[in-house]
Structures are given as C-alpha cells and as structure tokens.
Amino acid sequence: MRPILGIESSCDETAAAVLDGDGRVLADSVASQEAAHAPYGGVVPEIAARAHLALLPDLVRGVMARAGLGFEALGGVAASAGPGLIGGLIVGSQVAKGIALAHGIPYVAVNHLEAHALTARLPGLIEGGAPFPYLLLLVSGGHCQCVAVEGVGRHARLGGTVDDAAGEAFDKVAKLLGLGWPGGPALETLAARGDPARHDFPRPMLGRSGCDFSFSGLKTAVAQTVARLGEGALPASVAADIAASFQRAVAEVLADRAAHAMAMMRARSQEARLLVVAGGVAANGAVRAALRQAAEGAGFTLLAPPVRLCTDNAVMVAWTGIEHLRLGLADGLDFAPRPRWPLEGGEMPR
Ligand code: KG4
Ligand code: ZN
C-alpha cells in the first residue's frame, strides 16, 4: 500500500501524520492549542475550530515535505470524523476530502475512539501488533470507557463513566488547587511531594459489578476538603497531600474497574490477554502502576503506548486508515462528521 496521510482535529490538538503502507511513521506533527484555551479553563469550541482552520494547511504541507512526498504519492487520506467538536471535525474532514478529491485517492472517515483503540496494533509497539481481541481502557479529558476491541470496526463498550471523564476529574481538582488548565500533569507533579494516605477520599463504584465509572462524588469530596482547609490560601504541603490522596483514589478506582472489565473480557473470549490503556490520563505514573498491578492479577499484560501516542495525535488516525483500506473499507465524500459516534455493539455504523 502507498503512504497514508492522517488528520486529527476532533478536540484541541491539530495534528497531521504520514505513515508508509506498513504503518511506519514518516512524519508526525501535533500543534497543541492549549495556550489559546487556557485563559478559559477549558476547550472553547469556536476558538478550537478557528485554530484548526488556521493551523491545518501548514501542518499538512509540513508533514508531506518531511516525508519527502507529493500528494500524488499518497494511497489514501484519513481524518477523524467523530466523536468530537463539530467545528474541528468539519475542518479536518473537509481538508481530507479536498485532498482525496483532487488526487483521486480513497478517503477514510475515522472514528476517533477506534483510532485510540487501534493504536495498540501499530508496528513497533508489540511484536507483530496487538492481536484481537483485547481490552481498551480509554481515559482522557473527554472519554472514560472500557471497550472490547474484537476487530476493525468491531467493538463492544463494556462500561463507561456515568458523569465525568477521569481527565476531567483531574482538571477540576487541579483547578480547585489553583494549578491552571489542563491540570493533570501539574497535579501529578504536585502529588509527588504529598502523602497519598493523608485524606481518605471516596472511591466511587469500587467493587461494584460491571465496569462503569463515576468521579463527581470524589471531586465533590475534594472540593469540600479544599473549602474546609482554606480555599485559595492552601499551603503547598496541604495542597500536595490533597493532590496525592486524590490521585491514589483515582488510580485505585481505575484499577478496580479495569479488573472487572478484564473479567468481563475473559468471559467474552478466553484468548483475551492484553489490557491497552490510552488517553491523556494514561500518562500518569500512579495510574499506570495501579493498572499494571491489576493486569498482572488478572493474568493480563498491560500495554501502555508512549505518551505521545496515548494523547490525541494523527499517527493513530492514519494507522486506522491503513487498517480500513487493507480491508477495502473506504468512505464516500458525502460522509457527514458525527459529533456523537459511540463505539457500541458489533459493527460500527458506516
Ligand atoms: O487524551 P487527551 O490529550 O485529550 C483528550 O481529552 O482527548 O487527554 C487530556 C486529559 C486532560 O484532562 C489532562 O489533564 C489529562 O488528560 N492528563 C493527565 C496527565 N496528563 C494529561 N491526567 C493525570 N496525570 C497526567 N500526567
Ligand atoms: Zn482522544
């Protein structure tokens, strides 16, 4: 297969990547819009859409130049078409469709969640690529779910959050501690200096059957503690203890939910042996350690891809394009981006 261009624009990362037909990365570029959204404490959809429009053309030209390719050398172009913020999805989809139309090459409308799921099969992460079926735990700012990945376009959602996503909980607690946005990395740094046993925060859903998540009660408990100890004027050591205790609670909950999900996965398929973690929260050391332990306890192996492949990127989008095109699955240029596009049940809607 000829090289594939991938485009990601579903949230606040603008990204483009070129992979050769075997999935080797020829060029990869991510432009974060963090600074543009930080003053608002979260992603502002209209700002994101305009930023994608401003950034994407040069980003695409840049990866093509670094890959040493002209557009005529491409075998296809893939773009995230959902779920996500509609403005950004339209920008990325239209750029991809324009290139496909102008050069007569196939276009693939990629489900962003499937792209996270299929990252585990990129060459170089596991000898021969992760074999189906495997369990995906996706923990990002916008998503928190357990997915049985059984094939290309074949997924079953085993459970997910009933309120906040895990990354959202990190961001909200970081905000309470005055750490800015997005707060996950800063919270982890602060937690390293704190005592994780100092506060006994609730562990929502711990031990509950199934693998749903809930974080709003934990966030509320942290807010109450912050208010009690003096909001805004917390001494650094007090804030560090809160951060460490919160982080431990999240790690324990994620490990417990993942353990339940692994049992559910095993019940679906005896060969399932792999727990893949993706999303920004997968960058967290305490979370990774807890998940590794849970995986070992269940007879699974944890695969935590490098952080740049866990967070939003275009390598995973291009790779999903390759997986689809290998099966002859391309999409029409009339494919409408889908702000909501769940990975539920057997076949993905196409
Ligand atoms: O996957 P991602 O880059 O973007 C999407 O949400 O799609 O995930 C970003 C989320 C944010 O909520 C951020 O605070 C969280 O991942 N995050 C972390 C860490 N790094 C990023 N949370 C905890 N610890 C970290 N080291
Ligand atoms: Zn994502």
Side-chain angles (χ1 to χ4, degrees):
M1 193 188 297
R2 289 188 290 157
I4 303 292
L5 170 68
I7 292 174
E8 164 57 36
S9 61
S10 66
C11 190
D12 63 334
E13 266 88 27
T14 316
V18 183
L19 271 54
D20 74 12
D22 295 323
R24 275 183 296 263
V25 180
L26 302 179
D28 170 25
S29 195
V30 181
S32 169
Q33 304 172 10
E34 235 168 76
H37 300 287
Y40 305 94
V43 178
V44 182
E46 184 63 21
I47 292 177
R50 288 169 190 241
H52 289 304
L53 197 56
L55 294 167
L56 201 50
D58 278 349
L59 217 62
V60 168
R61 274 192 285 266
V63 290
M64 292 299 292
R66 276 190 284 123
L69 298 174
F71 287 108
E72 71 289 344
L74 292 174
V77 51
S80 283
L85 300 172
I86 189 63
L89 293 172
I90 290 174
V91 172
S93 298
Q94 292 305 105
V95 169
K97 289 174 181 178
I99 294 169
L101 184 64
H103 299 281
I105 55 176
Y107 157 74
V108 182
V110 169
N111 180 306
H112 177 89
L113 304 176
E114 181 175 44
H116 277 299
L118 295 181
T119 300
R121 291 167 53 80
L122 259 174
L125 289 185
I126 285 192
E127 186 67 32
F132 297 123
Y134 54 86
L135 175 66
L136 171 75
L137 172 63
L138 177 58
V139 277
S140 72
H143 304 284
C144 186
Q145 51 186 270
C146 295
V147 180
V149 184
E150 296 175 333
V152 174
R154 286 179 44 222
H155 318 280
R157 186 179 187 274
L158 303 180
T161 185
V162 298
D163 40 58
D164 294 345
E168 207 175 343
F170 269 97
D171 292 338
K172 287 178 177 172
V173 167
K175 196 170 184 178
L176 287 169
L177 298 175
L179 297 177
W181 178 90
L187 192 143
E188 182 175 15
T189 304
L190 180 64
R193 303 199 301 270
D195 173 8
R198 176 72 186 78
H199 300 281
D200 188 19
F201 291 132
R203 269 76 168 147
M205 300 277 192
L206 198 86
R208 187 91 65 92
S209 67
C211 61
D212 281 342
F213 305 81
S214 165
F215 293 104
S216 74
L218 171 58
K219 176 199 66 193
T220 304
V222 174
Q224 285 165 349
T225 302
V226 169
R228 184 164 49 79
L229 297 175
E231 196 170 355
L234 286 182
S237 65
V238 175
D241 287 347
I242 293 173
S245 303
F246 162 78
Q247 182 175 274
R248 176 172 281 183
V250 173
E252 282 184 22
V253 166
L254 291 178
D256 173 77
R257 306 287 71 208
H260 280 247
M262 285 183 278
M264 292 164 79
M265 189 72 201
R266 228 355 122 58
R268 293 175 70 89
S269 147
Q270 278 300 317
E271 322 90 89
R273 289 278 180 285
L274 195 62
L275 169 63
V276 176
V277 62
V281 179
N284 187 282
V287 168
R288 283 187 183 223
L291 290 175
R292 182 159 287 118
Q293 208 179 359
E296 279 165 13
F300 276 57
T301 304
L302 177 72
L303 171 61
V307 172
R308 73 191 155 73
L309 291 175
C310 282
T311 54
D312 286 351
N313 65 86
V315 171
M316 67 180 188
V317 179
W319 172 248
T320 303
I322 292 173
E323 293 253 38
H324 280 231
L325 291 175
R326 280 179 180 169
L327 298 175
L329 300 170
D331 293 283
L333 296 183
D334 59 348
F335 188 104
R338 299 175 176 163
R340 297 179 62 80
W341 187 1
L343 271 185
E344 269 161 27
E347 295 297 315
M348 283 203 314
R350 296 191 64 82

